[in-house]
């Protein structure tokens, strides 16, 4: 039996497609507004659930061409030209039209920009908040070159959640991520929490790339040591033959075990499952983080 046959997708990775009017309507609106979504660009397996059922979407600003060529990612790589200062307003308008309770804003890595795209990120947060005061906002930036000033620009806009993904375990990072480093991502998350201690931080890990359970637990410990509140764990799926092969398909029971381990380590929320992605059920995570902060505050008040 060949390796490819051994690694055939298991039953639990089959996706139910739903192309109702919510899905088609959102797709039409994104094109009319000249907006990109990571849901489409990264070929997210949950696009039908999120667009058709939950009516949520993750906006991808700063164009659709990334300056990095990570070996797991389906987003186009090249030299970007797009820098559209009207984009924050278009995103805010779309959030209003969609009547979103929670909006996620991510972006391609823009190493060609001195600020890594921080200014447009911040303007997008402000524009959404102005038009949609009751919508919670999550941002998912690259490491922005590890420049503290860039992160400060973004955190000063006060998103409700700062999400930055370490993607994989320490040992595999050089092979899987382009330009980014494991240590710099941890530092980015730690600095975000130091700048705005009341804003929850979040990170995500893909599994199935050859990591061990011990390495996953080590990564959890590293995230908690840098005060990360929320963790998502999902199965890596190969976008094309050019990308890294899947080394293992984790069973749902294994995800359940990893989730229990994460919660015991102190994460306020952990979403874990074969089709879980960084923005999956993000609306629930922000509520969970807020509830966890309230419980901690009550405990501290009782101890005082």
């Amino acid at each position: 039996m060949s390796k490819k046959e051994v690694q055939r997708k298991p039953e639990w990775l089959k996706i139910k497609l739903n192309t109702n009017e919510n899905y088609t309507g959102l797709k039409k609106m994104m094109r009319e507004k000249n907006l990109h979504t990571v849901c489409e660009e990264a070929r997210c397996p949950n696009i039908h659930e999120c667009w058709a059922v939950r009516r949520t979407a993750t906006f991808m600003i700063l164009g659709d061409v990334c300056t990095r060529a990570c070996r797991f990612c389906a987003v186009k790589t090249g030299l970007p030209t797009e820098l559209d200062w009207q984009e924050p307003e278009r995103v805010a308008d779309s959030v209003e039209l969609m009547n979103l309770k929670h909006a996620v804003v991510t972006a391609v890595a823009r190493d060609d920009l001195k600020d890594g795209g921080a200014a447009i990120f911040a303007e997008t947060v402000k524009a959404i908040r102005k038009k949609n005061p009751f919508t919670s906002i999550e941002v998912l930036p690259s490491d922005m070159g590890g420049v503290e000033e860039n992160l400060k620009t973004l955190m000063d806009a006060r998103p409700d959640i700062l999400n930055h993904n370490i993607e994989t375990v320490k040992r595999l990072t050089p092979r899987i991520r382009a330009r980014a480093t494991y240590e710099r991502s941890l530092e980015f998350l730690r600095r975000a929490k130091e700048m705005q201690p009341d804003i929850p931080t979040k990170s995500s890990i893909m599994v199935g790339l050859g990591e061990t359970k011990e390495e996953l637990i080590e990564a959890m410990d590293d995230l908690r040591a840098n005060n990360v509140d929320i963790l998502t764990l999902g199965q890596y799926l190969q976008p094309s033959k050019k990308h890294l092969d899947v080394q293992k398909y984790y069973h749902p029971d294994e995800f359940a075990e990893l989730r229990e381990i994460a919660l015991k380590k102190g994460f306020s929320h952990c979403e874990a499952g074969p089709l879980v992605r960084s923005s999956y059920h993000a609306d629930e995570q922000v509520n969970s983080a807020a509830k966890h902060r309230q419980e901690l505050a009550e405990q501290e008040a009782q101890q005082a």
Side-chain angles (χ1 to χ4, degrees):
M1 188 180 289
S2 72
K3 182 182 175 184
K4 290 294 181 184
E5 288 174 320
V6 170
Q7 297 300 335
R8 284 177 63 182
K9 285 185 184 178
E11 285 294 312
W12 59 80
L13 280 170
K14 289 189 176 176
I15 301 161
K16 184 180 178 182
L17 301 184
N18 188 334
T19 52
N20 67 14
E21 61 184 22
N22 278 354
Y23 176 86
T24 54
L26 275 177
K27 193 158 191 168
K28 184 170 181 282
M29 185 185 73
M30 293 297 180
R31 299 297 78 77
E32 288 173 349
K33 293 283 186 182
N34 191 28
L35 293 172
H36 305 290
T37 68
V38 77
C39 320
E40 296 169 288
E41 301 294 338
R43 303 175 197 172
C44 181
N46 305 306
I47 187 169
H48 290 84
E49 177 190 352
C50 294
W51 284 27
V53 182
R54 298 180 75 92
R55 201 164 174 81
T56 61
T58 299
F59 299 93
M60 191 169 80
I61 61 174
L62 292 161
D64 63 348
V65 179
C66 186
T67 54
R68 300 183 186 181
C70 296
R71 297 185 66 197
F72 64 88
C73 185
V75 175
K76 289 181 289 190
T77 301
L79 186 62
T81 56
E82 190 170 343
L83 193 61
D84 183 356
W85 287 96
Q86 302 306 311
E87 191 170 43
E89 287 298 324
R90 293 203 308 279
V91 172
D93 289 342
S94 298
V95 170
E96 185 177 30
L97 285 168
M98 292 164 69
N99 193 27
L100 295 185
K101 291 181 180 178
H102 183 72
V104 182
V105 181
T106 189
V108 291
R110 291 296 300 262
D111 297 311
D112 59 313
L113 302 175
K114 186 178 178 182
D115 74 345
I120 285 190
F121 248 116
E123 289 304 313
T124 303
V125 172
K126 292 171 187 174
I128 293 172
R129 186 148 281 145
K130 186 175 180 181
K131 287 190 176 175
N132 310 272
F134 299 109
T135 300
S136 53
I137 305 165
E138 177 176 331
V139 292
L140 173 53
S142 72
D143 57 28
M144 296 183 178
V147 178
E148 188 166 1
E149 186 181 340
N150 296 344
L151 177 58
K152 187 175 187 306
T153 297
L154 178 55
M155 296 306 289
D156 284 350
R158 292 196 55 80
D160 292 284
I161 288 183
L162 182 282
N163 182 356
H164 174 69
N165 297 333
I166 61 170
E167 307 290 8
T168 188
V169 299
K170 185 176 183 177
R171 175 177 60 88
L172 296 177
T173 295
R175 179 167 171 253
I176 289 167
R177 301 174 73 194
R179 300 193 189 181
T181 70
Y182 186 80
E183 290 77 12
R184 191 160 71 189
S185 285
L186 290 174
E187 183 181 28
F188 188 88
L189 288 158
R190 187 187 74 249
R191 283 178 172 176
K193 179 65 77 172
E194 289 170 353
M195 290 176 185
Q196 303 283 358
D198 61 323
I199 294 178
T201 51
K202 172 180 167 183
S203 196
S204 180
I205 302 173
M206 299 174 292
V207 299
L209 285 160
E211 69 291 326
T212 66
K213 182 179 177 182
E214 290 72 25
E215 286 176 319
L216 286 172
I217 291 171
E218 180 186 27
M220 290 183 196
D221 288 335
D222 289 340
L223 289 169
R224 288 298 300 135
N226 287 277
N227 297 313
V228 174
D229 303 289
I230 301 167
L231 175 66
T232 59
L233 294 159
Q235 174 70 52
Y236 166 67
L237 298 175
Q238 186 182 25
S240 78
K241 291 180 180 179
K242 297 178 184 176
H243 293 82
L244 292 165
D245 290 334
V246 176
Q247 299 298 315
K248 174 187 173 180
Y249 287 113
Y250 281 61
H251 189 276
D253 290 347
E254 292 179 279
F255 280 107
E257 182 189 2
L258 288 170
R259 180 178 182 274
E260 286 304 309
I261 292 170
L263 292 175
K264 285 177 182 176
K265 288 189 176 295
F267 290 100
S268 65
H269 187 98
C270 177
E271 198 82 40
L275 296 177
V276 166
R277 294 298 177 265
S278 188
S279 305
Y280 189 60
H281 292 184
D283 51 335
E284 295 175 6
Q285 293 162 22
V286 71
N287 294 331
S288 177
K291 183 180 177 183
H292 186 69
R293 287 203 308 276
Q294 184 178 351
E295 289 171 353
L296 289 176
E298 289 172 356
Q299 288 173 11
E300 289 174 3
Q302 288 172 1
Q303 293 169 0

